Amino acid sequence: MIGASLSRWTLSYFAAALLALIGAELLMVTGFGFPGAEIQSPKTLVLVHLVALGWLSLLMCGALFQFVPVLIARPLYSNSLPLPALVLLVGGIAALLSAFLQLDGEMALGLPFFPTAGALLGAGFGLVLWNVGRTLWAARPLPLPARFVAVGLSSLAATVGLGIVFALALSGVGSQPIYDLTALGLPIHVIAGLGGWLTFTAIGVSYRLLSMFMLAPEADKPTTRIAFYAGAGGLALTVIGGIAAICAGSNLDVILIASGALGLAMATLYGADMVHLYRARKRRNIELNSRMAAFALTSLAAGTAFVIVAIVLGDLTERIGPIVFLLAFGWLSGLGLAKLYKIAAFLTWLECYGPVLGKHPTPRVQDLVVETRARKYFYLYFLAVWAGTAALTVGVTPAFRGAAALMAFATIGIVLELLRTRRLADVPSETRFPEGTRQPRLLICLQTP
Ligand code: HEM
């Protein structure tokens, strides 16, 4: 990755994303949304979208601007589009959350929040898709991890498209097909969003990042290819088959069962690949980010097992709350925080010391972090997520709120560590700024080595 250009606005995406995560955790501490409110209530919709869009999607977009060029060894199509996209996305998320609050009667303003949210989010994600899509298009034929990202981006388009349809229907604008899609299309929106956009893209990026950070073999095994085809097939079946079935007035169940089986096959093969990758690594003493990624992968495995058990016991609908919580916070957020810890250090190191490498002695990337201090926050975070999942499973709401408080505390601790890394606060002052270097800005990467 040395020599890779720096994505100027990636850190601004990460900052907005972390604020949304802390905001969502604090809302859970106060008892806002599920489990205190119904799972389909507007308050839960606020919480779900603050996490899915505000935290996870902004994090993913910021990471893709930096890592898609690394995956395909080509520059990003445009370095100026990420800023307007961020402004549109933040405005769109604020409008969508306001629309849900309006639905709940919490916001008396008569503004057209749903159509505004649809327009802003459509434009913001449209810019992201155009930028990353053009970057990938120029690099065909794509290596396997980048193909996962391409499928993830197609799922994002489907999620946003359906979200806009729902928003129009809820604001009373629309025709019969729009109301049919809104009445029956929620599973497609959720699977394309959580399974396609967030999980499939994270899987593609993790194949490359984990092998890079642990010095393990690249992902081009037959199991990886089968995992790709199973996952992509399951997602295509859900989105294309599902929408066709709704339009034709037929039942969605068969399609969802078939795509669920493909998703399960994909998760199992990905799990096997990850076990192989950890075992085949050349770096024996792995860094904190890779150890914590293993906790996130364990959460994915536990979430998958939870789904199977719930299906066997016939209570998937009642268990959907704890399952989605474990996958959103243990798997996706856990992996996100673990990788952020490494990425923040790496980008800061590259920005500050990249231009003088070979000319002056510089600190190592690991000199920017103090893992012994940060690891207690990561342990606390994962323990709190697992405790929260248990509390939701047995239905003890006060214990869930306690677990959310611990998650918020741990997340704030991790964010403070990220800030110290960005400020180079843990690099001894004598070696911090060799000649030709200067303090990086907090939220923008300015140099392109
Ligand atoms: C990563 C992206 C997204 C994910 C993972 C996601 C996830 C979800 C989930 C889980 C629900 C059901 C929540 C519940 O029942 O409590 C939902 C509903 C909904 N989503 Fe999204 N969403 C995403 C993006 C969007 C976007 C971009 C929009 C709008 C432009 C949107 C608009 C809606 C609406 C209006 C509903 C309510 C549907 C109804 O109750 O009829 N979503 N979403």
Side-chain angles (χ1 to χ4, degrees):
M1 261 214 300
I2 293 177
S5 52
L6 293 170
S7 156
R8 177 177 279 235
W9 299 105
T10 285
L11 292 173
S12 314
Y13 276 74
F14 290 167
L18 286 165
L19 283 177
L21 172 62
I22 294 171
E25 288 170 341
L26 293 177
L27 282 180
M28 292 192 290
V29 176
T30 63
F32 187 93
F34 184 80
E38 289 298 311
I39 207 156
Q40 290 216 325
S41 69
K43 285 198 175 77
T44 307
L45 287 170
V46 169
L47 206 52
V48 164
H49 289 85
L50 187 56
V51 174
L53 294 174
W55 157 232
L56 294 169
S57 294
L58 290 184
L59 173 74
M60 189 65 87
C61 290
L64 289 183
F65 293 138
Q66 180 63 44
F67 286 107
V68 163
V70 175
L71 291 183
I72 58 175
R74 270 172 183 268
L76 188 66
Y77 171 69
S78 161
N79 249 319
S80 46
L81 288 180
L83 179 61
L86 179 61
V87 173
L88 289 164
L89 289 173
V90 170
I93 293 165
L96 186 65
L97 303 188
S98 308
F100 289 137
L101 289 174
Q102 207 174 31
L103 209 58
D104 203 35
E106 297 274 343
M107 196 175 265
L109 288 178
L111 298 175
F113 285 121
F114 272 125
T116 310
L120 292 175
L121 288 171
F125 281 120
L127 286 185
V128 173
L129 287 168
W130 172 254
N131 199 4
V132 183
R134 285 295 302 255
T135 311
L136 289 172
W137 186 256
R140 284 163 302 138
L142 294 176
L144 200 47
R147 275 191 262 159
F148 276 88
V149 175
V151 172
L153 290 172
S154 313
S155 306
L156 171 64
T159 312
V160 175
L162 278 172
I164 292 174
V165 165
F166 299 166
L168 288 177
L170 288 172
S171 64
V173 181
S175 53
Q176 199 51 46
I178 287 194
Y179 293 123
D180 289 347
L181 271 179
T182 305
L184 300 168
L186 195 54
I188 305 177
H189 177 71
V190 177
I191 294 170
L194 286 178
W197 160 232
L198 296 170
T199 291
F200 213 60
T201 314
I203 285 178
V205 175
S206 72
Y207 269 120
R208 183 78 172 87
L209 282 193
L210 284 170
S211 61
M212 194 158 65
F213 293 152
M214 290 196 294
L215 305 181
E218 288 284 319
D220 56 359
K221 293 165 63 230
T223 41
T224 316
R225 254 167 279 140
I226 303 171
F228 171 77
Y229 287 117
L235 288 165
L237 187 62
T238 308
V239 174
I240 302 169
I243 293 177
I246 292 174
C247 293
S250 36
N251 197 320
L252 261 187
D253 290 353
V254 180
I255 287 179
L256 293 181
I257 290 168
S259 56
L262 286 168
L264 210 58
M266 188 270 301
T268 311
L269 290 166
Y270 171 63
D273 276 352
M274 286 299 114
V275 170
H276 173 78
L277 195 137
Y278 271 81
R279 288 205 176 130
R281 70 180 193 269
K282 296 213 175 58
R283 179 171 275 166
R284 294 328 295 172
N285 279 334
I286 52 176
E287 293 168 0
L288 184 63
N289 76 85
S290 300
R291 261 181 288 142
M292 294 305 109
F295 284 9
L297 289 163
T298 307
S299 303
L300 174 63
T304 311
F306 202 164
V307 172
I308 298 171
V309 171
I311 291 174
V312 171
L313 297 179
D315 62 358
L316 185 59
T317 317
E318 296 91 86
R319 297 290 175 220
I320 203 73
I323 290 172
V324 170
F325 177 82
L326 178 59
L327 292 176
F329 289 101
W331 155 236
L332 291 167
S333 305
L335 186 73
L337 288 169
K339 291 294 134 196
L340 259 185
Y341 186 68
K342 177 72 185 181
I343 293 168
F346 191 80
L347 290 185
T348 305
W349 178 83
L350 199 56
E351 179 182 358
C352 186
Y353 304 116
V356 299
L357 274 185
K359 297 179 201 150
H360 299 287
T362 59
R364 298 165 309 135
V365 181
Q366 279 305 90
D367 294 335
L368 273 64
V369 294
V370 180
E371 291 196 347
T372 43
R373 204 177 50 218
R375 77 177 168 213
K376 57 181 182 289
Y377 297 119
F378 277 101
Y379 287 138
L380 180 64
Y381 176 82
F382 280 102
L383 282 175
V385 170
W386 295 333
T389 308
L392 282 179
T393 308
V394 295
V396 186
T397 304
F400 173 75
R401 289 173 61 180
L406 292 178
M407 281 166 66
F409 178 80
T411 307
I412 292 169
I414 293 169
V415 170
L416 293 177
E417 291 296 312
L418 295 174
L419 287 173
R420 287 185 67 83
T421 301
R422 188 69 192 148
R423 304 308 295 168
L424 299 165
D426 291 313
V427 181
S429 52
E430 321 76 76
T431 52
R432 195 177 297 156
F433 295 119
E435 199 187 321
T437 60
R438 62 184 168 78
Q439 179 77 55
R441 301 268 179 93
L442 195 57
L443 298 180
I444 312 176
C445 278
L446 278 184
Q447 282 170 342
T448 306

